[in-house]
Amino acid sequence: AAGGTIASSQTNYDMRMGPATRQAGRCTGDVTRNASETLTDVTGVKFFMGASETWDFEFMGRATIGATPDIKLAFTVPAAATINGVVEKIEAASIVAANSTDLTSASTLASANAGIGIRGFGQAVNSTTAGWVQLQFAQGTSTAEDTIVRAGTFIVAHRVV
Protein backbone atom coordinates (compact mmCIF):
# COMPACT_ATOMS: atom_id res chain seq x y z
CA ALA A 1 0.00 0.00 0.00
CA ALA A 2 1.16 3.52 -0.66
CA GLY A 3 3.10 4.88 2.32
CA GLY A 4 3.05 1.46 3.99
CA THR A 5 5.86 -0.49 5.51
CA ILE A 6 7.47 -3.36 3.60
CA ALA A 7 7.23 -6.48 5.78
CA SER A 8 10.17 -8.75 5.00
CA SER A 9 12.92 -10.59 6.80
CA GLN A 10 15.33 -9.09 4.27
CA THR A 11 14.73 -5.37 4.79
CA ASN A 12 14.24 -2.69 7.40
CA TYR A 13 12.96 -0.07 4.96
CA ASP A 14 9.97 2.09 5.79
CA MET A 15 8.60 3.71 2.62
CA ARG A 16 7.47 6.83 4.50
CA MET A 17 10.78 7.60 6.21
CA GLY A 18 13.50 5.78 4.26
CA PRO A 19 15.96 3.39 5.85
CA ALA A 20 15.63 2.87 9.59
CA THR A 21 17.98 4.88 11.78
CA ARG A 22 17.21 3.06 15.05
CA GLN A 23 16.33 -0.55 15.72
CA ALA A 24 15.71 -2.65 18.81
CA GLY A 25 15.41 -6.39 19.27
CA ARG A 26 14.30 -8.33 22.34
CA CYS A 27 14.44 -11.96 23.41
CA THR A 28 10.91 -13.05 24.37
CA GLY A 29 11.80 -16.42 25.95
CA ASP A 30 14.72 -17.98 27.83
CA VAL A 31 17.44 -19.57 25.65
CA THR A 32 19.36 -22.43 27.31
CA ARG A 33 22.67 -24.14 26.46
CA ASN A 34 23.56 -27.35 28.27
CA ALA A 35 26.68 -29.43 27.68
CA SER A 36 27.50 -27.48 24.52
CA GLU A 37 30.21 -25.07 23.40
CA THR A 38 28.42 -24.54 20.06
CA LEU A 39 27.16 -20.98 19.54
CA THR A 40 23.41 -20.51 19.17
CA ASP A 41 21.31 -17.42 18.40
CA VAL A 42 19.80 -15.40 21.24
CA THR A 43 16.40 -15.30 19.56
CA GLY A 44 15.26 -11.77 18.68
CA VAL A 45 18.49 -10.02 19.73
CA LYS A 46 19.48 -8.74 16.30
CA PHE A 47 19.27 -5.81 13.90
CA PHE A 48 19.34 -5.42 10.11
CA MET A 49 22.14 -3.62 8.23
CA GLY A 50 21.76 -2.33 4.71
CA ALA A 51 24.66 -2.30 2.27
CA SER A 52 27.49 0.11 3.16
CA GLU A 53 25.92 1.13 6.50
CA THR A 54 27.60 1.66 9.88
CA TRP A 55 25.71 0.95 13.12
CA ASP A 56 26.57 1.52 16.79
CA PHE A 57 24.89 -0.89 19.19
CA GLU A 58 24.48 -1.83 22.84
CA PHE A 59 23.02 -5.00 24.32
CA MET A 60 22.16 -6.02 27.87
CA GLY A 61 20.46 -8.93 29.53
CA ARG A 62 19.89 -11.15 32.50
CA ALA A 63 21.57 -14.53 32.48
CA THR A 64 22.21 -17.54 34.65
CA ILE A 65 25.88 -18.40 34.23
CA GLY A 66 27.60 -21.01 36.35
CA ALA A 67 31.20 -20.66 37.51
CA THR A 68 32.21 -23.82 35.63
CA PRO A 69 30.65 -23.38 32.18
CA ASP A 70 31.13 -19.60 32.06
CA ILE A 71 29.76 -18.06 28.85
CA LYS A 72 31.06 -17.11 25.43
CA LEU A 73 29.48 -14.45 23.24
CA ALA A 74 29.80 -13.62 19.54
CA PHE A 75 27.88 -12.06 16.67
CA THR A 76 27.06 -13.18 13.16
CA VAL A 77 27.20 -10.43 10.52
CA PRO A 78 26.58 -10.09 6.77
CA ALA A 79 29.36 -11.25 4.42
CA ALA A 80 32.42 -8.94 4.52
CA ALA A 81 31.03 -6.84 7.44
CA THR A 82 33.19 -6.13 10.49
CA ILE A 83 32.11 -5.79 14.11
CA ASN A 84 34.24 -4.55 17.00
CA GLY A 85 33.49 -3.85 20.63
CA VAL A 86 33.38 -5.10 24.20
CA VAL A 87 31.36 -7.90 25.81
CA GLU A 88 31.02 -8.37 29.57
CA LYS A 89 29.80 -10.93 32.09
CA ILE A 90 28.28 -9.31 35.16
CA GLU A 91 28.92 -11.02 38.49
CA ALA A 92 27.65 -10.20 41.97
CA ALA A 93 30.79 -8.25 42.91
CA SER A 94 32.61 -7.61 39.64
CA ILE A 95 32.54 -7.48 35.86
CA VAL A 96 34.59 -9.75 33.60
CA ALA A 97 35.24 -7.96 30.29
CA ALA A 98 36.60 -9.10 26.95
CA ASN A 99 37.74 -6.42 24.54
CA SER A 100 37.70 -7.68 21.00
CA THR A 101 38.71 -6.35 17.64
CA ASP A 102 36.42 -8.94 16.03
CA LEU A 103 33.16 -9.88 17.77
CA THR A 104 32.52 -12.61 15.18
CA SER A 105 35.14 -14.61 17.13
CA ALA A 106 33.67 -15.91 20.38
CA SER A 107 34.92 -14.19 23.54
CA THR A 108 34.87 -16.51 26.56
CA LEU A 109 34.12 -14.66 29.79
CA ALA A 110 35.61 -16.88 32.48
CA SER A 111 36.04 -16.48 36.23
CA ALA A 112 35.61 -18.50 39.40
CA ASN A 113 32.23 -16.87 40.06
CA ALA A 114 28.76 -17.43 38.68
CA GLY A 115 27.31 -14.65 36.53
CA ILE A 116 24.00 -12.86 36.63
CA GLY A 117 24.04 -10.92 33.38
CA ILE A 118 25.66 -9.95 30.09
CA ARG A 119 26.19 -6.66 28.31
CA GLY A 120 28.26 -5.15 25.55
CA PHE A 121 28.60 -2.43 22.97
CA GLY A 122 30.35 -1.83 19.69
CA GLN A 123 30.18 -0.84 16.06
CA ALA A 124 29.31 -2.86 12.96
CA VAL A 125 30.51 -1.66 9.55
CA ASN A 126 28.94 -3.29 6.52
CA SER A 127 30.24 -3.89 3.02
CA THR A 128 27.92 -4.40 0.05
CA THR A 129 25.79 -7.31 1.33
CA ALA A 130 22.77 -6.41 3.47
CA GLY A 131 21.87 -8.74 6.34
CA TRP A 132 21.35 -9.36 10.04
CA VAL A 133 23.68 -8.73 12.97
CA GLN A 134 22.76 -11.47 15.47
CA LEU A 135 23.94 -12.06 19.08
CA GLN A 136 24.97 -15.65 19.86
CA PHE A 137 26.10 -17.46 23.00
CA ALA A 138 27.35 -20.83 24.26
CA GLN A 139 28.96 -22.35 27.30
CA GLY A 140 32.64 -21.53 27.65
CA THR A 141 33.29 -25.06 28.95
CA SER A 142 30.84 -27.82 28.15
CA THR A 143 29.11 -29.04 31.33
CA ALA A 144 25.72 -30.39 32.39
CA GLU A 145 25.03 -27.13 34.26
CA ASP A 146 22.61 -24.88 32.36
CA THR A 147 23.74 -21.57 30.91
CA ILE A 148 20.64 -19.44 30.27
CA VAL A 149 20.16 -16.09 28.55
CA ARG A 150 16.87 -14.83 29.98
CA ALA A 151 13.83 -13.35 28.28
CA GLY A 152 14.07 -9.56 28.14
CA THR A 153 17.67 -9.50 26.91
CA PHE A 154 17.77 -6.73 24.29
CA ILE A 155 19.82 -4.88 21.71
CA VAL A 156 19.47 -1.26 20.56
CA ALA A 157 21.26 -0.10 17.42
CA HIS A 158 21.64 3.34 15.79
CA ARG A 159 22.68 3.88 12.20
CA VAL A 160 25.67 6.21 12.06
CA VAL A 161 26.25 6.26 8.28
Side-chain angles (χ1 to χ4, degrees), residues 130-149:
W132 293 98
V133 175
Q134 169 72 60
L135 178 64
Q136 297 186 311
F137 86 107
Q139 291 184 317
T141 301
S142 181
T143 183
E145 185 178 0
D146 287 345
T147 301
I148 306 167
V149 174

Side-chain angles (χ1 to χ4, degrees):
T5 299
I6 297 171
S8 169
S9 62
Q10 297 300 309
T11 187
N12 67 342
Y13 193 85
D14 183 314
M15 294 178 68
R16 292 171 298 218
M17 299 179 65
T21 57
R22 181 183 180 278
Q23 297 179 56
R26 182 176 172 271
C27 183
T28 58
D30 293 352
V31 184
T32 302
R33 296 304 286 166
N34 183 294
S36 178
E37 295 178 37
T38 303
L39 291 165
T40 191
D41 291 350
V42 180
T43 308
V45 183
K46 63 183 182 177
F47 62 93
F48 189 86
M49 290 179 64
S52 303
E53 292 180 348
T54 299
W55 289 76
D56 288 343
F57 66 90
E58 180 177 14
F59 72 92
M60 185 174 290
R62 293 182 310 117
T64 301
I65 307 162
T68 300
D70 298 311
I71 192 169
K72 60 183 175 182
L73 301 168
F75 282 87
T76 60
V77 296
T82 59
I83 186 167
N84 301 302
V86 176
V87 293
E88 300 173 332
K89 170 182 156 187
I90 303 164
E91 300 176 350
S94 65
I95 296 173
V96 178
N99 296 320
S100 180
T101 56
D102 179 9
L103 289 179
T104 62
S105 297
S107 297
T108 299
L109 304 168
S111 77
N113 301 306
I116 56 175
I118 56 172
R119 68 180 180 187
F121 59 89
Q123 185 173 76
V125 179
N126 204 2
S127 185
T128 57
T129 304
W132 293 98
V133 175
Q134 169 72 60
L135 178 64
Q136 297 186 311
F137 86 107
Q139 291 184 317
T141 301
S142 181
T143 183
E145 185 178 0
D146 287 345
T147 301
I148 306 167
V149 174
R150 298 290 182 185
T153 297
F154 68 91
I155 192 165
V156 177
H158 300 274
R159 186 165 53 95
V160 178
V161 181

